[in-house]
Amino acid sequence: LLLAIVGAPWCRGVVVLGGGVLGVGAALLWTAQGRLMLEYSDGTDQGRLFAIFWALFNCSSVVGGLLTFFYFSHHSEEAPVSLYLIFLGCIVLGGAATALLAPPHTIARPAASASASAEQRVAAAAPATEDAATPLPLLPPAARGGSTWEGEAKATLRLFGTRRMAVLFPLFWYTGFNQPYQLNTFGDRFFDSRALGLELASFYLAEVLGAALAGWTLDTASTPRAGALRQLAAFGLATSAAYALALSVEVPAARAHWPTCSTPRLQLGEEGVAVPSLAFFLWGLSDSQVQAYAYWLLRQLHSGGDEPA
């Protein structure tokens, strides 16, 4: 917004600095929500819980894509200050809406939960005449005999020195590495602003649908191994198909416009827009599969103690 309004060279540095601050804040927020997701699961429903979270999370991006599409259907400026203000208003409202969330200590899960710790069972103990399904509160780590955030931070750092983390590093790296090319490089190259808004809505709608598919796949599998294999197969098929489609348009564009590899940006309804559009949708589906698998795998490997953080 600052860059669009002022346009001075120094604004670019502010934008880069703001991106760094945003990254630090996002890391803290993602770590906290990941821990909550792992805590809320009883070991049999992590797929469903992820699907609910991922669908709600990506619905905001679906709305953002549609806003961009409808805005550029009536405006053509390159630096749309009014659109940035609309997004800023949405951000403020979203931040204020967090006040409506229930406090974590009020959330409970059934007493039959296989992953409930002994401390939780003692804390929620009820007279023998009560129903065995009395909910168990999700106590904070310290109340369960765990440590503080400092202990969780130390446990996290220790994980980086383990062989397991070294083996899983490519998986976790890919979950954040894939989208800059898909959304920014590919999207900006092949779609004009109006079309890109609708493509982004399509991408994140695929995230929502893919999350539902992933949740069902992981929770209904006969064994954890079977669920993992099915999930990896879905991820592999969607990813391979998406990159094959992208390659089919990237190579001709590179040959025709070497070395800049620039190409006329496509509009909706224009010939040739279907292939990159399908690649976009499949990338969204692919990303939901690998994200779901990563969350599920963390819950399988680290179900208690400080390591889930």
Side-chain angles (χ1 to χ4, degrees):
L1 182 60
L2 180 66
L3 183 61
I5 295 176
V6 179
W10 60 266
C11 294
R12 298 183 182 275
V14 175
V15 171
V16 173
L17 178 61
V21 174
L22 179 64
V24 173
L28 297 174
L29 185 60
W30 276 101
T31 301
Q33 75 82 19
R35 177 64 190 258
L36 284 176
M37 292 283 294
L38 297 180
E39 287 290 327
Y40 288 170
S41 173
D42 65 2
T44 63
D45 59 353
Q46 60 261 43
R48 180 177 63 86
L49 292 180
F50 172 83
I52 295 172
F53 158 71
W54 201 246
L56 293 174
F57 171 68
N58 283 285
C59 276
S60 63
S61 297
V62 173
V63 173
L66 292 176
L67 283 175
T68 302
F69 166 71
F70 287 118
Y71 182 89
F72 283 111
S73 295
H74 303 283
H75 304 80
S76 59
E77 65 266 34
E78 289 298 324
V81 175
S82 53
L83 180 60
Y84 296 156
L85 289 174
I86 292 173
F87 283 134
L88 180 60
C90 292
I91 292 171
V92 173
L93 289 176
T98 58
L100 303 176
L101 295 175
H105 69 272
T106 65
I107 307 299
R109 61 188 172 198
S113 170
S115 65
S117 65
E119 291 83 357
Q120 286 177 300
R121 293 184 182 280
V122 171
T129 56
E130 287 195 14
D131 192 302
T134 301
L136 294 176
L138 289 172
L139 302 179
R144 299 195 307 270
S147 65
T148 60
W149 68 268
E150 295 95 334
E152 293 180 345
K154 292 178 181 178
T156 300
L157 293 176
R158 284 195 299 268
L159 280 176
F160 284 96
T162 63
R163 181 178 179 274
R164 173 183 290 171
M165 184 57 65
V167 172
L168 294 177
F169 174 79
L171 170 67
F172 298 141
W173 173 267
Y174 180 81
T175 60
F177 174 78
N178 57 341
Q179 290 192 16
Y181 164 72
Q182 297 168 358
L183 302 184
N184 300 330
T185 304
F186 186 88
D188 288 339
R189 179 181 296 153
F190 287 98
F191 304 110
D192 68 1
S193 298
R194 178 172 175 267
L196 183 58
L198 197 59
E199 297 298 338
L200 289 173
S202 170
F203 178 95
Y204 290 110
L205 178 61
E207 292 266 19
V208 174
L209 299 176
L213 173 64
W216 175 83
T217 299
L218 292 170
D219 286 348
T220 60
S222 57
T223 64
R225 178 180 174 82
L229 291 176
R230 287 162 56 181
Q231 191 63 27
L232 289 174
F235 165 67
L237 289 173
T239 305
S240 299
Y243 278 107
L245 292 171
L247 191 64
S248 71
V249 294
E250 286 276 26
V251 172
R255 288 178 175 175
H257 304 90
W258 187 262
T260 61
C261 298
S262 61
T263 182
R265 301 171 76 187
L266 299 170
Q267 300 179 7
L268 292 175
E270 191 173 344
E271 183 181 0
V273 76
V275 172
S277 297
L278 183 56
F280 240 63
F281 183 85
L282 289 175
W283 271 327
L285 186 64
S286 163
D287 185 63
S288 65
Q289 302 309 297
V290 72
Q291 297 285 356
Y293 178 72
Y295 272 83
W296 176 86
L297 187 62
L298 286 173
R299 181 60 177 76
Q300 293 294 314
L301 298 177
H302 309 287
S303 60
D306 294 330
E307 291 184 349

